[in-house]
Amino acid sequence: MAHDFDDLLAANAQFAETFDLAGFDGVAHAGIAIVTCMDSRIDPLRMLGLSPGDAKIFRNPGGRVTPQALEALVLGTHLLHVERILVIPHTRCAMASATLDELRERVGRSAGLDATWQPFNVVEDQRTALADDIAKVRTHPLIPDKVLVGGFLYDVDTGLLDQLI
């Protein structure tokens, strides 16, 4: 166990040699908040031409506006200088290409355990889900009307964003 993370700790030591965010205030310097998927093909900052410190990023399976995402957005808009919110699901998302039963079966098979009790927020229709998520943000009583909210679809094969809402 002592060596399980040595490669990552070594990479971190190299990172720290040129670390330049010491003393950073933690606000979103570009006024941006992003809700997107946990998919490793998504590089939220680079895809928008942003740098560390520019945006608040909330990631979860499917890039959904969950209660936890709303919590982050409320904090961001009131305490962390967020003025624009982007909700960005993506193409070829596992959460949008499998049913709940299929995910439970696959996870159960991998775990060697019954997974029928585990909730997964599958997405049956990404456009409908995105419209619902944008409505959740726009109608939240603690997110000011002046905050701009947009819904986008990220194409994992081209790197392009398509604004849908």
Side-chain angles (χ1 to χ4, degrees), residues 6-7 9 15 18-19 47 55 57-58 63 66 70 80-81 84 90 104 112-113 116 125 131 139 143 148 151 159:
D6 286 354
D7 59 329
L9 291 171
F15 169 77
T18 58
F19 184 70
M47 75 180 183
I57 302 168
F58 190 91
T66 62
L70 281 169
L80 303 170
H81 300 176
R84 292 186 286 171
H90 66 93
R104 286 175 168 165
L113 299 169
T116 58
D125 177 334
T139 62
I143 296 179
L148 302 175

PDB file of all heavy atoms in Angstrom, residues 6-7 9 15 18-19 47 55 57-58 63 66 70 80-81 84 90 104 112-113 116 125 131 139 143 148 151 159:
ATOM      1  N   ASP A   6       2.893   6.087  -5.545  1.00  0.00           N
ATOM      2  CA  ASP A   6       4.204   6.710  -5.717  1.00  0.00           C
ATOM      3  C   ASP A   6       4.328   7.465  -7.035  1.00  0.00           C
ATOM      4  O   ASP A   6       4.919   8.547  -7.089  1.00  0.00           O
ATOM      5  CB  ASP A   6       5.326   5.667  -5.609  1.00  0.00           C
ATOM      6  CG  ASP A   6       5.560   5.206  -4.176  1.00  0.00           C
ATOM      7  OD1 ASP A   6       4.938   5.783  -3.250  1.00  0.00           O
ATOM      8  OD2 ASP A   6       6.362   4.278  -3.990  1.00  0.00           O
ATOM      9  N   ASP A   7       3.800   6.907  -8.123  1.00  0.00           N
ATOM     10  CA  ASP A   7       3.898   7.581  -9.421  1.00  0.00           C
ATOM     11  C   ASP A   7       3.173   8.929  -9.402  1.00  0.00           C
ATOM     12  O   ASP A   7       3.673   9.925  -9.930  1.00  0.00           O
ATOM     13  CB  ASP A   7       3.352   6.693 -10.538  1.00  0.00           C
ATOM     14  CG  ASP A   7       1.886   6.307 -10.335  1.00  0.00           C
ATOM     15  OD1 ASP A   7       1.423   6.184  -9.171  1.00  0.00           O
ATOM     16  OD2 ASP A   7       1.186   6.105 -11.355  1.00  0.00           O
ATOM     17  N   LEU A   9       2.476  10.717  -6.637  1.00  0.00           N
ATOM     18  CA  LEU A   9       3.179  11.618  -5.716  1.00  0.00           C
ATOM     19  C   LEU A   9       4.426  12.200  -6.375  1.00  0.00           C
ATOM     20  O   LEU A   9       4.759  13.371  -6.166  1.00  0.00           O
ATOM     21  CB  LEU A   9       3.517  10.890  -4.414  1.00  0.00           C
ATOM     22  CG  LEU A   9       2.308  10.555  -3.542  1.00  0.00           C
ATOM     23  CD1 LEU A   9       2.714   9.655  -2.383  1.00  0.00           C
ATOM     24  CD2 LEU A   9       1.653  11.827  -3.032  1.00  0.00           C
ATOM     25  N   PHE A  15       5.041  18.908 -10.237  1.00  0.00           N
ATOM     26  CA  PHE A  15       4.044  19.974 -10.369  1.00  0.00           C
ATOM     27  C   PHE A  15       4.323  21.086  -9.373  1.00  0.00           C
ATOM     28  O   PHE A  15       4.283  22.280  -9.708  1.00  0.00           O
ATOM     29  CB  PHE A  15       2.650  19.386 -10.159  1.00  0.00           C
ATOM     30  CG  PHE A  15       1.547  20.396  -9.999  1.00  0.00           C
ATOM     31  CD1 PHE A  15       1.031  21.068 -11.091  1.00  0.00           C
ATOM     32  CD2 PHE A  15       1.015  20.669  -8.743  1.00  0.00           C
ATOM     33  CE1 PHE A  15       0.005  21.993 -10.952  1.00  0.00           C
ATOM     34  CE2 PHE A  15      -0.013  21.591  -8.589  1.00  0.00           C
ATOM     35  CZ  PHE A  15      -0.518  22.258  -9.701  1.00  0.00           C
ATOM     36  N   THR A  18       6.934  24.144  -9.874  1.00  0.00           N
ATOM     37  CA  THR A  18       6.597  25.365 -10.612  1.00  0.00           C
ATOM     38  C   THR A  18       5.202  25.880 -10.227  1.00  0.00           C
ATOM     39  O   THR A  18       4.615  26.676 -10.958  1.00  0.00           O
ATOM     40  CB  THR A  18       6.640  25.114 -12.137  1.00  0.00           C
ATOM     41  OG1 THR A  18       5.730  24.060 -12.463  1.00  0.00           O
ATOM     42  CG2 THR A  18       8.047  24.749 -12.586  1.00  0.00           C
ATOM     43  N   PHE A  19       4.692  25.443  -9.094  1.00  0.00           N
ATOM     44  CA  PHE A  19       3.358  25.834  -8.640  1.00  0.00           C
ATOM     45  C   PHE A  19       3.301  27.346  -8.440  1.00  0.00           C
ATOM     46  O   PHE A  19       4.134  27.932  -7.765  1.00  0.00           O
ATOM     47  CB  PHE A  19       3.034  25.116  -7.325  1.00  0.00           C
ATOM     48  CG  PHE A  19       1.655  25.378  -6.814  1.00  0.00           C
ATOM     49  CD1 PHE A  19       0.550  24.861  -7.466  1.00  0.00           C
ATOM     50  CD2 PHE A  19       1.457  26.146  -5.686  1.00  0.00           C
ATOM     51  CE1 PHE A  19      -0.733  25.098  -6.995  1.00  0.00           C
ATOM     52  CE2 PHE A  19       0.175  26.384  -5.207  1.00  0.00           C
ATOM     53  CZ  PHE A  19      -0.914  25.862  -5.865  1.00  0.00           C
ATOM     54  N   MET A  47     -11.022  23.527 -22.889  1.00  0.00           N
ATOM     55  CA  MET A  47     -11.995  23.570 -23.977  1.00  0.00           C
ATOM     56  C   MET A  47     -12.651  24.940 -24.103  1.00  0.00           C
ATOM     57  O   MET A  47     -13.236  25.258 -25.131  1.00  0.00           O
ATOM     58  CB  MET A  47     -13.054  22.475 -23.831  1.00  0.00           C
ATOM     59  CG  MET A  47     -14.101  22.704 -22.792  1.00  0.00           C
ATOM     60  SD  MET A  47     -15.229  21.294 -22.797  1.00  0.00           S
ATOM     61  CE  MET A  47     -16.407  21.832 -21.584  1.00  0.00           C
ATOM     62  N   ALA A  55     -12.469  29.418 -13.269  1.00  0.00           N
ATOM     63  CA  ALA A  55     -13.829  28.880 -13.203  1.00  0.00           C
ATOM     64  C   ALA A  55     -14.008  27.929 -12.030  1.00  0.00           C
ATOM     65  O   ALA A  55     -13.058  27.302 -11.577  1.00  0.00           O
ATOM     66  CB  ALA A  55     -14.150  28.147 -14.505  1.00  0.00           C
ATOM     67  N   ILE A  57     -15.757  24.432 -11.150  1.00  0.00           N
ATOM     68  CA  ILE A  57     -16.126  23.263 -11.943  1.00  0.00           C
ATOM     69  C   ILE A  57     -16.767  22.223 -11.039  1.00  0.00           C
ATOM     70  O   ILE A  57     -16.199  21.862 -10.006  1.00  0.00           O
ATOM     71  CB  ILE A  57     -14.892  22.664 -12.637  1.00  0.00           C
ATOM     72  CG1 ILE A  57     -14.239  23.716 -13.533  1.00  0.00           C
ATOM     73  CG2 ILE A  57     -15.281  21.415 -13.440  1.00  0.00           C
ATOM     74  CD1 ILE A  57     -12.871  23.325 -14.030  1.00  0.00           C
ATOM     75  N   PHE A  58     -17.947  21.756 -11.450  1.00  0.00           N
ATOM     76  CA  PHE A  58     -18.644  20.694 -10.719  1.00  0.00           C
ATOM     77  C   PHE A  58     -18.857  19.550 -11.695  1.00  0.00           C
ATOM     78  O   PHE A  58     -19.445  19.745 -12.758  1.00  0.00           O
ATOM     79  CB  PHE A  58     -19.989  21.190 -10.171  1.00  0.00           C
ATOM     80  CG  PHE A  58     -20.618  20.217  -9.229  1.00  0.00           C
ATOM     81  CD1 PHE A  58     -20.365  20.293  -7.872  1.00  0.00           C
ATOM     82  CD2 PHE A  58     -21.428  19.200  -9.696  1.00  0.00           C
ATOM     83  CE1 PHE A  58     -20.921  19.386  -6.991  1.00  0.00           C
ATOM     84  CE2 PHE A  58     -21.992  18.281  -8.833  1.00  0.00           C
ATOM     85  CZ  PHE A  58     -21.735  18.373  -7.472  1.00  0.00           C
ATOM     86  N   GLY A  63     -23.091  14.806 -16.057  1.00  0.00           N
ATOM     87  CA  GLY A  63     -23.074  16.266 -16.055  1.00  0.00           C
ATOM     88  C   GLY A  63     -24.403  16.880 -15.682  1.00  0.00           C
ATOM     89  O   GLY A  63     -24.790  17.918 -16.214  1.00  0.00           O
ATOM     90  N   THR A  66     -27.593  18.331 -10.196  1.00  0.00           N
ATOM     91  CA  THR A  66     -28.080  17.641  -9.004  1.00  0.00           C
ATOM     92  C   THR A  66     -28.252  18.653  -7.867  1.00  0.00           C
ATOM     93  O   THR A  66     -27.807  19.805  -7.992  1.00  0.00           O
ATOM     94  CB  THR A  66     -27.063  16.575  -8.578  1.00  0.00           C
ATOM     95  OG1 THR A  66     -25.832  17.254  -8.250  1.00  0.00           O
ATOM     96  CG2 THR A  66     -26.821  15.541  -9.672  1.00  0.00           C
ATOM     97  N   LEU A  70     -26.444  22.326  -7.608  1.00  0.00           N
ATOM     98  CA  LEU A  70     -27.145  23.575  -7.298  1.00  0.00           C
ATOM     99  C   LEU A  70     -26.525  24.260  -6.084  1.00  0.00           C
ATOM    100  O   LEU A  70     -26.387  25.489  -6.067  1.00  0.00           O
ATOM    101  CB  LEU A  70     -28.633  23.316  -7.062  1.00  0.00           C
ATOM    102  CG  LEU A  70     -29.467  23.140  -8.320  1.00  0.00           C
ATOM    103  CD1 LEU A  70     -30.862  22.630  -7.977  1.00  0.00           C
ATOM    104  CD2 LEU A  70     -29.544  24.435  -9.117  1.00  0.00           C
ATOM    105  N   LEU A  80     -18.399  33.629  -4.931  1.00  0.00           N
ATOM    106  CA  LEU A  80     -17.185  33.317  -5.690  1.00  0.00           C
ATOM    107  C   LEU A  80     -17.155  33.968  -7.074  1.00  0.00           C
ATOM    108  O   LEU A  80     -16.441  33.517  -7.970  1.00  0.00           O
ATOM    109  CB  LEU A  80     -17.038  31.794  -5.803  1.00  0.00           C
ATOM    110  CG  LEU A  80     -17.003  31.077  -4.444  1.00  0.00           C
ATOM    111  CD1 LEU A  80     -17.103  29.580  -4.629  1.00  0.00           C
ATOM    112  CD2 LEU A  80     -15.750  31.447  -3.674  1.00  0.00           C
ATOM    113  N   HIS A  81     -17.933  35.031  -7.252  1.00  0.00           N
ATOM    114  CA  HIS A  81     -17.906  35.876  -8.456  1.00  0.00           C
ATOM    115  C   HIS A  81     -18.418  35.212  -9.732  1.00  0.00           C
ATOM    116  O   HIS A  81     -18.072  35.649 -10.837  1.00  0.00           O
ATOM    117  CB  HIS A  81     -16.505  36.437  -8.703  1.00  0.00           C
ATOM    118  CG  HIS A  81     -15.996  37.276  -7.580  1.00  0.00           C
ATOM    119  ND1 HIS A  81     -14.738  37.790  -7.575  1.00  0.00           N
ATOM    120  CD2 HIS A  81     -16.545  37.690  -6.417  1.00  0.00           C
ATOM    121  CE1 HIS A  81     -14.534  38.479  -6.470  1.00  0.00           C
ATOM    122  NE2 HIS A  81     -15.626  38.424  -5.745  1.00  0.00           N
ATOM    123  N   ARG A  84     -21.647  33.644 -15.060  1.00  0.00           N
ATOM    124  CA  ARG A  84     -22.134  32.827 -16.164  1.00  0.00           C
ATOM    125  C   ARG A  84     -21.994  31.361 -15.790  1.00  0.00           C
ATOM    126  O   ARG A  84     -20.973  30.944 -15.244  1.00  0.00           O
ATOM    127  CB  ARG A  84     -21.353  33.099 -17.453  1.00  0.00           C
ATOM    128  CG  ARG A  84     -21.597  34.483 -18.012  1.00  0.00           C
ATOM    129  CD  ARG A  84     -20.945  34.675 -19.354  1.00  0.00           C
ATOM    130  NE  ARG A  84     -19.495  34.806 -19.183  1.00  0.00           N
ATOM    131  CZ  ARG A  84     -18.627  34.821 -20.196  1.00  0.00           C
ATOM    132  NH1 ARG A  84     -19.052  34.688 -21.443  1.00  0.00           N
ATOM    133  NH2 ARG A  84     -17.339  34.976 -19.968  1.00  0.00           N
ATOM    134  N   HIS A  90     -22.173  15.571 -22.657  1.00  0.00           N
ATOM    135  CA  HIS A  90     -21.340  15.287 -23.823  1.00  0.00           C
ATOM    136  C   HIS A  90     -21.851  14.103 -24.629  1.00  0.00           C
ATOM    137  O   HIS A  90     -22.654  13.307 -24.150  1.00  0.00           O
ATOM    138  CB  HIS A  90     -19.887  15.030 -23.377  1.00  0.00           C
ATOM    139  CG  HIS A  90     -19.737  13.792 -22.548  1.00  0.00           C
ATOM    140  ND1 HIS A  90     -19.415  12.569 -23.088  1.00  0.00           N
ATOM    141  CD2 HIS A  90     -19.881  13.586 -21.224  1.00  0.00           C
ATOM    142  CE1 HIS A  90     -19.354  11.659 -22.113  1.00  0.00           C
ATOM    143  NE2 HIS A  90     -19.637  12.254 -20.982  1.00  0.00           N
ATOM    144  N   ARG A 104     -26.793  -1.388 -13.627  1.00  0.00           N
ATOM    145  CA  ARG A 104     -26.794  -2.194 -12.400  1.00  0.00           C
ATOM    146  C   ARG A 104     -26.247  -3.590 -12.667  1.00  0.00           C
ATOM    147  O   ARG A 104     -25.496  -4.134 -11.864  1.00  0.00           O
ATOM    148  CB  ARG A 104     -28.203  -2.268 -11.821  1.00  0.00           C
ATOM    149  CG  ARG A 104     -28.635  -0.982 -11.155  1.00  0.00           C
ATOM    150  CD  ARG A 104     -30.072  -1.043 -10.692  1.00  0.00           C
ATOM    151  NE  ARG A 104     -30.384   0.085  -9.821  1.00  0.00           N
ATOM    152  CZ  ARG A 104     -31.609   0.444  -9.513  1.00  0.00           C
ATOM    153  NH1 ARG A 104     -32.653  -0.226 -10.001  1.00  0.00           N
ATOM    154  NH2 ARG A 104     -31.822   1.473  -8.722  1.00  0.00           N
ATOM    155  N   GLY A 112     -19.225  -8.479  -8.393  1.00  0.00           N
ATOM    156  CA  GLY A 112     -19.543  -9.801  -7.866  1.00  0.00           C
ATOM    157  C   GLY A 112     -20.594  -9.734  -6.776  1.00  0.00           C
ATOM    158  O   GLY A 112     -20.678 -10.619  -5.927  1.00  0.00           O
ATOM    159  N   LEU A 113     -21.397  -8.686  -6.805  1.00  0.00           N
ATOM    160  CA  LEU A 113     -22.438  -8.455  -5.801  1.00  0.00           C
ATOM    161  C   LEU A 113     -23.711  -7.971  -6.489  1.00  0.00           C
ATOM    162  O   LEU A 113     -23.672  -7.462  -7.610  1.00  0.00           O
ATOM    163  CB  LEU A 113     -21.996  -7.378  -4.808  1.00  0.00           C
ATOM    164  CG  LEU A 113     -20.748  -7.650  -3.982  1.00  0.00           C
ATOM    165  CD1 LEU A 113     -20.309  -6.385  -3.265  1.00  0.00           C
ATOM    166  CD2 LEU A 113     -21.035  -8.754  -2.967  1.00  0.00           C
ATOM    167  N   THR A 116     -28.592  -4.108  -7.673  1.00  0.00           N
ATOM    168  CA  THR A 116     -29.922  -3.632  -8.073  1.00  0.00           C
ATOM    169  C   THR A 116     -30.432  -2.511  -7.167  1.00  0.00           C
ATOM    170  O   THR A 116     -31.358  -1.796  -7.548  1.00  0.00           O
ATOM    171  CB  THR A 116     -30.951  -4.774  -8.084  1.00  0.00           C
ATOM    172  OG1 THR A 116     -30.996  -5.371  -6.780  1.00  0.00           O
ATOM    173  CG2 THR A 116     -30.585  -5.825  -9.120  1.00  0.00           C
ATOM    174  N   ASP A 125     -32.896  11.002 -22.481  1.00  0.00           N
ATOM    175  CA  ASP A 125     -32.874  11.951 -23.587  1.00  0.00           C
ATOM    176  C   ASP A 125     -32.032  13.151 -23.143  1.00  0.00           C
ATOM    177  O   ASP A 125     -32.462  13.937 -22.296  1.00  0.00           O
ATOM    178  CB  ASP A 125     -34.305  12.370 -23.924  1.00  0.00           C
ATOM    179  CG  ASP A 125     -34.396  13.409 -25.026  1.00  0.00           C
ATOM    180  OD1 ASP A 125     -33.432  14.186 -25.242  1.00  0.00           O
ATOM    181  OD2 ASP A 125     -35.442  13.457 -25.685  1.00  0.00           O
ATOM    182  N   ALA A 131     -32.526  20.596 -20.888  1.00  0.00           N
ATOM    183  CA  ALA A 131     -33.556  21.633 -20.726  1.00  0.00           C
ATOM    184  C   ALA A 131     -34.078  21.653 -19.291  1.00  0.00           C
ATOM    185  O   ALA A 131     -34.257  22.731 -18.707  1.00  0.00           O
ATOM    186  CB  ALA A 131     -34.699  21.405 -21.713  1.00  0.00           C
ATOM    187  N   THR A 139     -34.571  28.868 -12.416  1.00  0.00           N
ATOM    188  CA  THR A 139     -35.696  29.122 -11.499  1.00  0.00           C
ATOM    189  C   THR A 139     -35.317  28.994 -10.035  1.00  0.00           C
ATOM    190  O   THR A 139     -36.163  29.198  -9.162  1.00  0.00           O
ATOM    191  CB  THR A 139     -36.872  28.168 -11.801  1.00  0.00           C
ATOM    192  OG1 THR A 139     -36.447  26.810 -11.588  1.00  0.00           O
ATOM    193  CG2 THR A 139     -37.376  28.347 -13.222  1.00  0.00           C
ATOM    194  N   ILE A 143     -30.363  31.792  -7.076  1.00  0.00           N
ATOM    195  CA  ILE A 143     -29.476  32.121  -8.190  1.00  0.00           C
ATOM    196  C   ILE A 143     -30.067  33.350  -8.874  1.00  0.00           C
ATOM    197  O   ILE A 143     -31.167  33.293  -9.421  1.00  0.00           O
ATOM    198  CB  ILE A 143     -29.314  30.938  -9.161  1.00  0.00           C
ATOM    199  CG1 ILE A 143     -28.628  29.777  -8.420  1.00  0.00           C
ATOM    200  CG2 ILE A 143     -28.525  31.364 -10.396  1.00  0.00           C
ATOM    201  CD1 ILE A 143     -28.430  28.534  -9.241  1.00  0.00           C
ATOM    202  N   LEU A 148     -26.131  34.623 -16.244  1.00  0.00           N
ATOM    203  CA  LEU A 148     -26.395  34.021 -17.551  1.00  0.00           C
ATOM    204  C   LEU A 148     -26.219  32.508 -17.450  1.00  0.00           C
ATOM    205  O   LEU A 148     -25.241  32.032 -16.872  1.00  0.00           O
ATOM    206  CB  LEU A 148     -25.449  34.588 -18.600  1.00  0.00           C
ATOM    207  CG  LEU A 148     -25.508  36.106 -18.783  1.00  0.00           C
ATOM    208  CD1 LEU A 148     -24.431  36.566 -19.761  1.00  0.00           C
ATOM    209  CD2 LEU A 148     -26.884  36.529 -19.255  1.00  0.00           C
ATOM    210  N   GLY A 151     -26.941  26.056 -21.901  1.00  0.00           N
ATOM    211  CA  GLY A 151     -26.845  24.600 -22.008  1.00  0.00           C
ATOM    212  C   GLY A 151     -26.130  24.226 -23.297  1.00  0.00           C
ATOM    213  O   GLY A 151     -26.492  24.700 -24.381  1.00  0.00           O
ATOM    214  N   GLY A 159     -14.170  17.951 -30.043  1.00  0.00           N
ATOM    215  CA  GLY A 159     -13.781  18.988 -29.098  1.00  0.00           C
ATOM    216  C   GLY A 159     -14.652  20.228 -29.163  1.00  0.00           C
ATOM    217  O   GLY A 159     -14.411  21.202 -28.447  1.00  0.00           O
TER     218      GLY A 159
END
